[in-house]
Amino acid sequence: MDTQDAIGALGDPGLCEVARARLAAQGRAAVGPLIRALLTTDSVQVRARIGGLLNRDIGPDLAFEDVLEALAAAPDETSRRRLGSTFTAFRSVDRFVDALRHPSPAVRSSAAFGIQSVCMVAFGRSPRPGVDYVRVIEALIPLLGDSDPDVAQRAEWALGLLGPATHEPLRRVRAHGPGRLRARALATLAASGGEEALSAADRAAVERLIRVKVPSDRARPLDLCSASWLAVHTEDRQSIARALGLHEIRPATFALGYDIVAHDTMDCAEYGRVYVTPAVGGWTLVLGPWCSPVDPERAADVLAVVTSLRKCWVIDQLQGVVNWR
């Protein structure tokens, strides 16, 4: 069974294991033909087996550079997507860090995503043993000013998931530049650590910006399926805040409030804050995991809140298929 026959046999359940072993034994010699097959086959199953061969059986020592160069030369979005998926699955942090300097935006973006996948510490994950997070962070930060906006966005997302180790380097960018990185550094700090991660100067700047935007702020559709919320038939947000016992109240735009709720909902249910929206059609929403009637930690308190509020206003409360009226 030669190389092409072995690749063709990857789609045959009776022959695929024999074919996989033959191709793995060829090592570097099989990499080029496997990449070409990855780009031409219509079979999702065969593509998955080729990815496994390149990532695990042959491995990054022999296959990484060839996949990288194929990704850099990919002529269309379908090819970039297939090669990018295989590239990021190598899970080789040091190689990804080196690839962040590659001339190809597709390679830089995929390398940043590979780092994000392997190194993220958000959502309760622990830092990956053996990873030099300082080196990773320092290599990602310059990409916040990348000439390709998709690369810059990917770097922002990756840094936002690397935890508190990013805060001090990003605060240095905010304080000392370079200027082209400052805006995304602020957004990344806010996404990663919230208000606590910002310097006093940045907190003051954000508060000034919010005060300017709030008077003309408008509601936006809610498309976070897992969000919990109360809908209260009143436009008096201050009365709602008093009724719920809210404190440390800060103004927020709808976009900011919604992003905070999305973060808290996905990040293992942070209960410490809610967002009270501008009124829409006479109704005001209270958003956040704090409102969930189905979470064991919140159910009894939420029932008490709803019972209390119903004495003052008409109230609707929805979360998933739960509907109290």
Side-chain angles (χ1 to χ4, degrees), residues 4-124:
Q4 292 304 323
D5 289 339
I7 291 173
L10 290 174
D12 186 331
L15 296 175
C16 63
E17 283 304 309
V18 173
R20 183 193 62 78
R22 292 283 179 87
L23 290 163
Q26 293 181 32
R28 179 71 182 276
V31 172
L34 284 169
I35 291 173
R36 290 190 289 274
L38 179 71
L39 297 177
T40 55
T41 182
D42 292 327
S43 170
V44 175
Q45 186 178 63
V46 170
R47 291 201 297 270
R49 287 172 177 159
I50 290 173
L53 271 159
L54 292 169
N55 297 140
R56 296 185 298 274
D57 296 307
I58 297 174
D61 287 345
L62 298 178
F64 185 92
E65 289 299 326
D66 285 3
V67 173
L68 181 153
E69 292 307 323
L71 175 59
D76 52 59
E77 183 58 32
T78 297
S79 299
R80 284 190 290 273
R81 186 172 61 252
R82 292 183 183 183
L83 289 162
S85 178
T86 300
F87 180 78
T88 58
F90 280 116
R91 303 182 67 81
S92 181
V93 176
D94 289 339
R95 291 183 174 90
F96 289 150
V97 168
D98 291 340
L100 293 175
R101 300 189 297 271
H102 197 278
S104 164
V107 172
R108 297 196 302 275
S109 180
S110 294
F113 182 66
I115 289 170
Q116 174 185 318
S117 301
V118 176
C119 301
M120 67 180 293
V121 298
F123 311 119

Side-chain angles (χ1 to χ4, degrees), residues 74-306:
D76 52 59
E77 183 58 32
T78 297
S79 299
R80 284 190 290 273
R81 186 172 61 252
R82 292 183 183 183
L83 289 162
S85 178
T86 300
F87 180 78
T88 58
F90 280 116
R91 303 182 67 81
S92 181
V93 176
D94 289 339
R95 291 183 174 90
F96 289 150
V97 168
D98 291 340
L100 293 175
R101 300 189 297 271
H102 197 278
S104 164
V107 172
R108 297 196 302 275
S109 180
S110 294
F113 182 66
I115 289 170
Q116 174 185 318
S117 301
V118 176
C119 301
M120 67 180 293
V121 298
F123 311 119
R125 298 191 184 187
S126 299
R128 187 174 179 85
V131 170
D132 184 349
Y133 276 81
V134 172
R135 177 174 182 251
V136 168
I137 291 164
E138 294 297 339
L140 278 169
I141 284 176
L143 267 64
L144 293 174
D146 197 275
S147 59
D148 187 289
D150 291 337
V151 176
Q153 182 63 76
R154 176 56 65 190
E156 179 182 327
W157 287 336
L159 284 162
L161 294 170
L162 295 185
T166 64
H167 296 173
E168 186 54 38
L170 289 169
R171 283 194 289 262
R172 287 198 298 269
V173 171
R174 289 291 302 162
H176 305 296
R180 63 189 177 84
L181 306 183
R182 282 195 171 116
R184 284 194 182 272
L186 179 60
T188 306
L189 275 168
S192 174
E195 180 182 354
E196 295 79 6
L198 304 182
S199 68
D202 277 340
R203 286 197 296 271
V206 170
E207 289 170 359
R208 287 194 299 271
L209 179 61
I210 290 171
R211 285 196 297 270
V212 169
K213 289 189 172 186
V214 160
S216 59
D217 195 31
R218 294 293 181 269
R220 56 186 268 193
L222 299 175
D223 56 7
L224 185 67
C225 62
S226 57
S228 301
W229 45 274
L230 307 173
V232 187
H233 196 204
T234 181
E235 296 186 4
D236 188 349
R237 292 195 289 174
Q238 293 299 322
S239 293
I240 293 174
R242 287 194 296 270
L244 296 179
L246 303 182
H247 56 90
E248 296 185 29
I249 297 172
R250 309 283 184 87
T253 62
F254 198 95
L256 175 60
Y258 183 75
D259 286 347
I260 287 171
V261 169
H263 177 275
D264 290 354
T265 298
M266 293 184 290
D267 194 11
C268 304
E270 167 59 53
Y271 295 122
R273 52 192 176 182
V274 295
Y275 173 53
V276 182
T277 73
V280 179
W283 289 82
T284 300
L285 298 184
V286 183
L287 297 164
W290 186 88
C291 302
S292 174
V294 296
D295 191 293
E297 295 185 39
R298 290 294 306 148
D301 287 341
V302 171
L303 178 58
V305 166
V306 172

